[in-house]
Amino acid sequence: MSREDMTKLQSERLVKLVKTCYEKSDFYRRKMDEMGVKPEDIKDIKDIVKLPFTTKTDLRDEYPFGLQVVPQSEVVRIHASSGTTGKPVVDTYTKNDVDNWAEGVARVMAAGNVGPGDIVQVSYGYGLFTGGLGAHDGAAKLGACQLPTSAGNTEKQIMLMQDFGSTALACTPSYALRLAEAIHQSDKVSIDNMKLRVGFFGAEPWTEGMRKELQEKLHIEAFDIYGLTEMSGPGVGGECEMHDGTHLWEDMFYPEIINPDTLEPVAPGEFGELVFTSLCKEAMPIIRYRTRDLTRLIYEPCKCGRTAVRMDRILGRSDDMLIIRGVNVFPSQIETVLTEFPAFQPYYFITVDRVSNEDTFDLDVELRLEFFSNDPAKQMPFMKPLYDRIVSLVGIRPNIHILPPGAIARSEGKAKHVLDKRNFKN
Ligand code: DLL
């Protein structure tokens, strides 16, 4: 779609959305009244900046159905994301919402040529989490066969992957890595007997290094898929075959990048916080949702021919950012460094603490079996370059602990990479 047609479509959808929200939702009416904005003030997508933001706190305050603008009889599905604290974030869907959601996922999987004849092994968790059913419905929309294994039960997953001939895998990148590891350790299955050719990985930040690792180990082409519960789930956007940024389906989810401190839009192409408005959502639409995800938008045309705007890889969430000795550190930076060193496995765990008023930064890593030794002298040739690279790239001196392969906990869903013990201290 041309930029002109896209802007026109977005404008029409925004005008309709704002009118509905104002009429049907006490929450939006109150917020808009507080800002002195009326639905008539919104005539064009550019007017979006006049509207109030919605935050995770708003969603918690309105728990469970405060933002819903249709009667319960029109709701056909409810999902929720488990927050680390307090009540979960809820999303509800009409039949059209479920269809549009599947469309978003299908657009991503279509970039990997998924269709009839494919078997899509969905190893995202099925349940309240949107990953499982979201990927499932997207695969169904393309006429592919869905294999709803859900997450976990790794031995069985890899057996079915081989026996049934799964051609596509959808799961978190950390679980894909766990599956790859299990396949290579197994004497019952072999990657050479598998038909896997594509993977759709998301729900957590991952890096180019991780892509390389997964592609090599699983003999696949790996695609990034992005989404969040508040905007339906996975399939807000995804990579195309160029693997040069994530296209956002901006006919359905209008993206903005703001400066999280001033809340003003950043200059085009600059990094900031991603904000979404769900232009088509019927049951629980959200206006200007502050995702906390940090990235930038790329408006230059993509070589693939799709005109939908792209976003850069998510650097991390502003709430995942660690401030260690005054330096901002994203766990994904550690992954980037680690995957540059072939002797190390791409698993890591960060522990931050405060001892005698000073921050400590401990980093657990695993050496591959062929390089591992308990002897510190033998570890040093591996440890030193890793240490130097982290100091130069991240700007902080880590206390590195080299562990044997398998020592760091593996994850079936979103990986947990950090323990910040300072959070438990006064
Ligand atoms: O994680 C939805 C999803 C499921 C996306 C399966 C992709 C695949 P939530 O649990 O609400 O929803 O978490 C949303 O996860 O705001 C990002 O911080 C992060 N996230 C999701 N996809 C990516 C990605 C699902 N591809 C939050 N890269 C988002 C980086 C991602 N971060």
Side-chain angles (χ1 to χ4, degrees):
M1 193 180 276
S2 71
R3 183 56 38 198
E4 198 185 353
D5 287 348
M6 178 66 82
T7 307
K8 193 160 160 269
L9 182 68
Q10 290 169 332
S11 298
E12 281 165 16
R13 289 185 169 169
L14 182 70
V15 169
K16 187 163 163 247
L17 175 81
V18 170
K19 196 162 171 290
T20 308
C21 288
Y22 193 82
E23 281 168 9
K24 302 271 169 66
S25 150
D26 292 343
F27 168 81
Y28 284 118
R29 197 174 326 108
R30 193 177 64 240
K31 280 205 128 184
M32 284 173 62
D33 285 347
E34 274 166 21
M35 287 186 82
V37 199
K38 292 273 174 266
E40 307 80 80
D41 299 328
I42 308 301
K43 301 189 185 74
D44 193 274
I45 192 73
K46 290 199 197 74
D47 296 324
I48 201 164
V49 293
K50 298 177 185 163
L51 292 166
F53 290 104
T54 308
T55 63
K56 206 171 235 45
T57 312
D58 291 327
L59 301 191
R60 294 235 159 87
D61 292 348
E62 297 298 317
Y63 172 88
F65 303 133
L67 290 187
Q68 194 170 292
V69 296
V70 296
Q72 194 61 32
S73 56
E74 288 179 33
V75 172
V76 300
R77 186 87 73 74
I78 305 175
H79 280 281
S81 73
S82 48
T84 38
T85 50
K87 303 275 193 202
V89 166
V90 177
D91 197 359
T92 67
Y93 310 68
T94 63
K95 181 159 186 326
N96 284 337
D97 291 338
V98 173
D99 282 352
N100 286 335
W101 177 19
E103 162 77 22
V105 176
R107 288 185 195 174
V108 184
M109 290 188 174
N113 275 324
V114 168
D118 274 304
I119 299 179
V120 182
Q121 182 157 343
V122 181
S123 310
Y124 286 113
Y126 280 65
L128 287 175
F129 176 53
T130 55
L133 282 164
H136 183 101
D137 288 349
K141 186 134 195 144
L142 293 169
C145 170
Q146 309 110 62
L147 178 59
T149 47
S150 195
N153 217 340
T154 303
E155 292 309 309
K156 192 166 171 191
Q157 294 259 1
I158 58 174
M159 180 183 83
L160 301 184
M161 189 181 276
Q162 176 169 287
D163 295 350
F164 295 177
S166 305
T167 55
L169 173 65
C171 61
T172 60
S174 47
Y175 193 48
L177 193 62
R178 170 75 195 104
L179 288 168
E181 186 179 57
I183 292 168
H184 288 277
Q185 283 167 355
S186 167
D187 47 15
K188 298 196 190 80
V189 300
S190 156
I191 195 67
D192 297 327
N193 296 333
M194 300 212 179
K195 295 206 176 107
L196 220 49
R197 59 172 191 85
V198 276
F200 301 96
F201 307 125
E204 61 186 3
W206 56 302
T207 56
E208 281 308 310
M210 183 73 119
R211 187 207 305 278
K212 197 163 157 273
E213 180 94 20
L214 290 173
Q215 296 197 145
E216 279 171 16
K217 285 201 164 146
L218 289 171
H219 299 184
I220 55 166
E221 181 176 357
F223 290 81
D224 188 24
I225 178 164
Y226 170 81
L228 59 159
T229 313
E230 296 85 335
M231 293 291 124
S232 292
V236 169
E239 272 180 344
C240 65
E241 51 286 9
M242 298 297 144
H243 302 285
D244 188 18
T246 296
H247 287 279
L248 295 174
W249 311 134
E250 49 173 325
D251 53 328
M252 298 196 270
F253 311 100
Y254 183 75
E256 299 171 78
I257 302 281
I258 61 161
N259 175 322
D261 299 323
T262 64
L263 306 186
E264 293 295 326
V266 300
E270 268 184 31
F271 275 89
E273 179 180 339
L274 186 56
V275 169
F276 278 114
T277 299
S278 49
L279 294 174
C280 295
K281 197 82 191 314
E282 290 178 342
M284 202 182 268
I286 306 198
I287 294 176
R288 304 196 84 196
Y289 182 63
R290 291 188 57 187
T291 62
R292 314 265 181 100
D293 289 332
L294 301 171
T295 183
R296 69 188 183 104
L297 294 181
I298 306 163
Y299 280 96
E300 285 89 61
C302 181
K303 291 195 196 74
C304 74
R306 287 172 188 76
T307 53
V309 66
R310 284 171 293 160
M311 70 171 183
D312 216 326
R313 263 187 196 279
I314 304 273
L315 191 56
R317 298 169 63 91
S318 50
D319 27 7
D320 287 346
M321 189 181 79
L322 294 161
I323 303 182
I324 306 170
R325 295 172 214 144
V327 179
N328 297 351
V329 179
F330 284 100
S332 60
Q333 291 177 294
I334 301 295
E335 184 180 300
T336 300
V337 172
L338 205 55
T339 53
E340 288 171 6
F341 293 88
F344 286 98
Q345 308 246 65
Y347 297 98
Y348 64 97
F349 195 84
I350 298 168
T351 309
V352 187
D353 201 354
R354 183 162 290 145
V355 181
S356 312
N357 286 325
E358 203 185 321
D359 291 338
T360 58
F361 174 34
D362 286 89
L363 176 64
D364 292 347
V365 290
E366 291 179 8
L367 268 178
R368 294 184 199 274
L369 195 58
E370 56 271 40
F371 304 109
F372 182 74
S373 159
N374 276 317
D375 178 355
K378 291 198 175 134
Q379 291 179 352
M380 200 41 88
F382 299 108
M383 173 109 83
K384 178 81 173 62
L386 179 67
Y387 176 90
D388 290 345
R389 184 80 176 112
I390 291 175
V391 172
S392 77
L393 194 86
V394 187
I396 185 141
R397 293 185 311 278
N399 191 13
I400 298 176
H401 308 274
I402 292 189
L403 305 176
I408 296 171
R410 307 302 195 238
S411 101
E412 294 173 355
K414 297 183 192 242
K416 194 172 172 341
H417 291 297
V418 180
L419 174 63
D420 192 342
K421 292 186 173 167
R422 299 172 302 182
N423 293 340
F424 310 111
K425 294 183 173 171
N426 288 322

